[in-house]
Amino acid sequence: MRENLGEISDKTLTMQLREMEEDQLLIRIVHPEVPPKVEYKLTDLGKSLETVFLALDNWGKNYIQQRK
């Protein structure tokens, strides 16, 4: 996930993930191993936003193309 986000600090990423967890958009799964492993999965509510994010992504790509 980190590679796909570009430049983002660990603090900002952690804060955003916690907010999304509080909003019940994703769940955090902690695996008790060394080193610690944390996994995130979208909830059904989070998955329901997929069409919104895809529409925003398409809009952004079209906007960039028009500005060239």
Side-chain angles (χ1 to χ4, degrees), residues 1-2 5-6 8 18 21 26-27 34 40 48 50 57 62:
M1 175 172 53
R2 188 157 208 9
L5 293 174
I8 185 172
R18 286 188 179 153
E21 185 180 12
L26 55 80
I27 57 171
V34 177
Y40 293 92
S48 73
E50 183 178 15
D57 183 53
N62 288 332

Side-chain angles (χ1 to χ4, degrees), residues 48-63:
S48 73
L49 290 169
E50 183 178 15
T51 55
V52 174
F53 291 131
L54 289 174
L56 284 171
D57 183 53
N58 287 332
W59 181 90
K61 288 175 181 172
N62 288 332
Y63 178 76

Side-chain angles (χ1 to χ4, degrees), residues 10-25:
D10 289 340
K11 181 180 177 181
T12 300
L13 177 58
T14 299
M15 186 175 66
Q16 292 297 312
L17 289 169
R18 286 188 179 153
E19 285 182 22
M20 290 170 58
E21 185 180 12
E22 288 174 14
D23 293 336
Q24 299 180 344
L25 299 174

